[in-house]
Amino acid sequence: MNTFVVWMTALLKWLYNLTDLVGFASYGLAIILLTIIIKTLIYPLTWKQMKSMRKTMEIQPKLQEIQKKYKNNPEKLNQETMELYKKHNLNPAGGCLPLLVQLPIFWALYRTLFSFNNYITDPSQAMFLGFNITENGNLVLAILAGATTFLQTKLTTASNPAMKAQNNSGKPDPTQSTQKMMLYFMPFFMAYITWTVPSGLGLYFFTMNIVSVFQQLYINRKLNNEQGEVA
């Protein structure tokens, strides 16, 4: 992991030099560029994740039938559930891939910013839009991270045709309840996390959410078009 931190530090310095070349030398801009690069590289995983989530929501009625039918037979329930996933070419753990990829990046960036004062030659280099990227407790970034997390989660659920069908049915559904809980819990959680970590990470979270929202809009439109062509 130390090697990864060294690489992250070198990458941030390189991106900083890039901003310097265009006349806007800033480690804050370097973090924004880093975030955009990361989100672009993992877009194929994000696409697969969202497509898998859409399919998972679509098979919820069948999954509930299986759970009701085999509620007293756990072994058969597990077997039928796996068969259903296999039939629809779904991987239950597939949605975790983008998160797993980003965790090492998050940790390396955290460790880099935690000791960044040892790398920069001028304290002013750590300043961006009036805040120090190495210091904790930025209330504005915490609020922005929470608000954009809410927007992103809202897009994930509200734009899902399967979720809309469940909402219109008026029937209680465990998946729908979980989605609603995440909709209101995650923004507060992300705001708290952003408050407790270096502001550079808060900037990373905020930028990540903004890029994710645009990717989400694009993916939702693409998936809806695919469903329209199939129908």
Side-chain angles (χ1 to χ4, degrees), residues 128-133 135-145 191-192 194-200 202-203:
F128 179 68
L129 296 180
F131 63 86
N132 190 316
I133 63 173
E135 294 180 354
N136 300 5
N138 190 301
L139 180 60
V140 174
L141 281 176
I143 293 173
L144 289 174
Y192 171 74
T194 302
W195 170 263
T196 60
V197 299
S199 295
L203 181 62

Side-chain angles (χ1 to χ4, degrees), residues 51-53 55-56 59 84-86 88-92:
K51 191 171 184 178
S52 177
M53 286 177 61
K55 285 185 178 181
T56 300
I59 67 170
L84 181 63
Y85 280 122
K86 184 177 180 181
H88 291 272
N89 195 28
L90 284 171
N91 181 1

Side-chain angles (χ1 to χ4, degrees), residues 27-136:
Y27 275 108
L29 286 178
I31 291 173
I32 292 174
L33 290 174
L34 172 68
T35 311
I36 294 173
I37 291 171
I38 292 170
K39 284 298 293 181
T40 302
L41 290 176
I42 67 173
Y43 172 77
L45 294 178
T46 304
W47 161 254
K48 289 182 180 180
Q49 177 194 32
M50 298 311 303
K51 191 171 184 178
S52 177
M53 286 177 61
R54 179 72 66 96
K55 285 185 178 181
T56 300
M57 293 305 304
E58 290 173 353
I59 67 170
Q60 281 301 308
K62 295 181 180 179
L63 185 59
Q64 290 173 17
E65 288 179 9
I66 293 174
Q67 291 170 342
K68 183 178 180 179
K69 185 176 182 180
Y70 300 106
K71 61 181 179 180
N72 296 322
N73 189 342
E75 184 177 347
K76 185 66 174 177
L77 173 60
N78 183 62
Q79 180 183 345
E80 291 294 324
T81 300
M82 295 310 297
E83 284 294 327
L84 181 63
Y85 280 122
K86 184 177 180 181
K87 179 180 178 181
H88 291 272
N89 195 28
L90 284 171
N91 181 1
C96 300
L97 282 176
L99 178 61
L100 292 176
V101 170
Q102 292 180 65
L103 281 177
I105 297 171
F106 164 80
W107 176 251
L109 187 56
Y110 173 80
R111 294 303 306 170
T112 298
L113 293 173
F114 189 77
S115 57
F116 209 57
N117 287 326
N118 298 328
Y119 302 105
I120 59 178
T121 57
D122 183 352
S124 64
Q125 292 177 337
M127 301 303 296
F128 179 68
L129 296 180
F131 63 86
N132 190 316
I133 63 173
T134 66
E135 294 180 354
N136 300 5

